[in-house]
Amino acid sequence: GLEIARENGKRPGPKEKVTDEDIEMAITLLDTPDKNGKRRGYAKVAKTLGIAKSTLSRRIKALRDKEKG
């Protein structure tokens, strides 16, 4: 069942709420100041994406690890 699906490139379970492109956009938002010149926080960016801060943090780390190696 699940093993065969994974071998065929399928990912069982619910679809991801955010894509890698969304996470890249979040990284850009975190790196650029808002209109008042203040740095955006993880909470504000996560809320914009509709995910938890911990999810955002975990996905950023995973994306950076994936890019490294």
Side-chain angles (χ1 to χ4, degrees):
L2 290 176
E3 289 130 20
I4 294 170
R6 287 188 184 110
E7 288 172 9
N8 292 328
K10 306 282 187 203
R11 292 198 56 218
K15 292 184 179 180
E16 292 182 349
K17 253 187 144 176
V18 291
T19 63
D20 285 347
E21 290 81 24
D22 293 332
I23 299 301
E24 289 171 0
M25 180 189 67
I27 292 170
T28 303
L29 286 172
L30 288 167
D31 290 341
T32 56
D34 65 8
K35 63 183 177 184
N36 297 323
K38 292 185 177 183
R39 188 167 178 226
R40 292 178 177 93
Y42 272 75
K44 190 166 222 122
V45 174
K47 186 175 182 181
T48 302
L49 292 174
I51 58 175
K53 284 189 315 185
S54 58
T55 302
L56 176 61
S57 184
R58 184 174 56 248
R59 291 291 306 273
I60 288 174
K61 182 182 182 318
L63 184 64
R64 288 184 174 157
D65 289 347
K66 190 166 111 176
E67 289 174 350
K68 283 183 184 177

